[in-house]
């Protein structure tokens, strides 16, 4: 999800998306700790998306 897409969302949609992405990130970390996942870069991408969402929510 790009910054322009994030900025076009309302504050409630961003908060909703943030909760979903944080849940996804915790699942990825758990799966990676049990057995290495195919693409560990997905963890990095998910962390960065969470940070983008938090920044956008804070700015609104």
């Amino acid at each position: 999800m790009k910054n322009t897409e994030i900025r076009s969302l309302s504050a409630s949609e961003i908060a909703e998306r943030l909760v979903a992405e944080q849940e996804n990130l915790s699942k990825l970390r758990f799966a990676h700790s049990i057995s290495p996942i195919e693409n560990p870069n997905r963890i990095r991408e998910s962390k960065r998306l969470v940070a983008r969402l938090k920044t956008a929510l804070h700015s609104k």
Side-chain angles (χ1 to χ4, degrees), residues 11-28:
S12 61
E13 290 173 328
I14 292 173
E16 222 174 85
R17 191 72 188 245
L18 180 61
V19 170
E21 285 301 322
Q22 285 175 330
E23 192 173 302
N24 184 32
L25 177 60
S26 65
K27 286 180 183 178
L28 279 173

Side-chain angles (χ1 to χ4, degrees), residues 39-51:
N39 190 359
N41 288 333
R42 288 177 53 205
I43 295 173
R44 181 187 303 167
E45 291 168 4
S46 186
K47 282 171 47 178
R48 289 182 178 175
L49 179 56
V50 167

Side-chain angles (χ1 to χ4, degrees), residues 1 4 7-8 12 15 18 21 29-30 33 37 42 50 55:
M1 180 172 254
T4 54
R7 282 191 215 117
S8 67
S12 61
L18 180 61
E21 285 301 322
R29 283 182 174 155
F30 185 70
S33 67
I37 57 177
R42 288 177 53 205
V50 167
T55 302

